[in-house]
């Protein structure tokens, strides 16, 4: 029974940001975690939005760079925020590993709250959709993202207007011709591992696209984002 629950928990976490984080190599330079979020009051927020609107309307070329924060509203935790993956991990370390003190034969419930929503079921947020609306209106010329969650793709952002800098857990790419396939499931890879699939176009090996800490941004993504 306990082993069945453990398997269920592992599978539930696999497709979340916790599963993604667990694939990455150990990384000591996490920076400061758990800093509080700052919120503007209604008056300040309205003033800032008015200024932003004016800047966008006056601009001839608008480019967006997005990170983990844009997907928090979709239920996908960030890393360093108040409820971020690293924040909660650091907190657990400070408090001590309570699970080690539990009896081995005690059956634990499946608690995936730290992991957040599954990448596979998360939906684009209002911010993702607003960026697509700006692109369709001719105001946003390009979007570069550090996220691996596919939400910019499912929101409708054209791929030729999008640079996915850190790769995507749903995407595999041909090692020879760069042909790309986006799946409905998390492929579970990192650092350009072979997916076991063959390229539909040239027949060569397909590899995952997710970067590990020491991997460089793929040339085509970097060049698109700076051109």
């Amino acid at each position: 029974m306990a082993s069945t629950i453990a398997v269920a928990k592992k599978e539930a976490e696999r497709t979340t940001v916790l599963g993604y984080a667990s694939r990455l190599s150990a990384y000591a330079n996490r920076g400061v975690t758990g800093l509080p979020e700052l919120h503007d009051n209604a008056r300040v927020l309205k003033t800032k939005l008015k200024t932003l609107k004016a800047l966008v309307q006056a601009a001839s070329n608008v480019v967006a760079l997005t990170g983990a924060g844009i997907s928090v509203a979709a239920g996908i935790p960030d890393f360093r925020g108040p409820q971020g993956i690293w924040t909660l991990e650091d907190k657990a370390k400070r408090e001590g590993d309570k699970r080690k003190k539990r009896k081995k034969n005690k059956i634990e419930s499946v608690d995936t709250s730290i992991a957040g929503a599954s990448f596979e079921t998360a939906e684009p947020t209002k911010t993702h959709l607003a960026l697509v609306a700006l692109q369709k209106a001719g105001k946003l010329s390009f979007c570069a993202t550090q996220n691996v969650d596919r939400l910019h793709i499912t929101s409708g952002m054209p791929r030729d207007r999008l640079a996915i800098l850190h790769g995507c857990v749903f995407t595999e790419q041909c090692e020879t011709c760069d042909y790309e396939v986006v799946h409905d499931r998390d492929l579970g890879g990192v650092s350009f591992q072979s997916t076991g699939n063959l390229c539909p176009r040239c027949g060569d090996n397909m590899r995952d696209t997710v970067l590990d800490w020491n991997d460089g941004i793929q040339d085509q993504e970097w060049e698109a984002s700076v051109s």
Side-chain angles (χ1 to χ4, degrees), residues 126-207:
K126 291 180 180 179
T127 309
H128 289 94
L129 299 177
L131 290 173
V132 172
L134 286 172
Q135 188 276 321
K136 290 181 177 179
K139 297 303 300 183
L140 183 73
S141 58
F142 199 80
C143 177
T145 185
Q146 302 174 88
N147 297 341
V148 301
D149 55 29
R150 189 186 59 169
L151 292 183
H152 280 299
I153 295 175
T154 55
S155 69
M157 183 66 68
R159 188 63 176 93
D160 62 354
R161 298 296 180 94
L162 176 66
I164 306 175
L165 302 177
H166 294 174
C168 175
V169 299
F170 296 93
T171 302
E172 60 179 347
Q173 189 176 58
C174 179
E175 63 183 15
T176 300
C177 72
D178 293 334
Y179 186 79
E180 190 174 87
V181 177
V182 181
H183 295 269
D184 291 329
R185 59 182 178 84
D186 182 346
L187 297 175
V190 69
S191 197
F192 312 116
Q193 296 175 359
S194 174
T195 63
N197 297 325
L198 298 179
C199 177
R201 185 162 68 183
C202 76
D204 214 334
N205 294 321
M206 300 290 280
R207 296 186 178 275

Side-chain angles (χ1 to χ4, degrees), residues 41-78:
N41 60 44
R43 180 181 60 81
V44 173
L45 180 60
K46 184 176 181 179
T47 300
K48 288 184 176 180
L49 289 174
K50 184 177 180 180
T51 301
L52 177 61
K53 179 181 177 180
L55 288 171
V56 171
Q57 288 178 329
S60 58
N61 188 38
V62 177
V63 174
L65 172 63
T66 67
I70 193 176
S71 296
V72 170
I76 299 175
D78 57 17

Side-chain angles (χ1 to χ4, degrees), residues 15-27:
T15 64
T16 66
V17 69
L18 181 60
Y20 159 61
S22 69
R23 300 173 211 163
L24 302 174
S25 302
Y27 188 65

Side-chain angles (χ1 to χ4, degrees), residues 63-65 142-145 162-165 217-227:
V63 174
L65 172 63
F142 199 80
C143 177
T145 185
L162 176 66
I164 306 175
L165 302 177
I217 296 173
Q218 295 196 69
D219 289 343
Q220 65 269 31
E221 303 296 343
W222 175 252
E223 291 168 2
S225 66
V226 299
S227 63

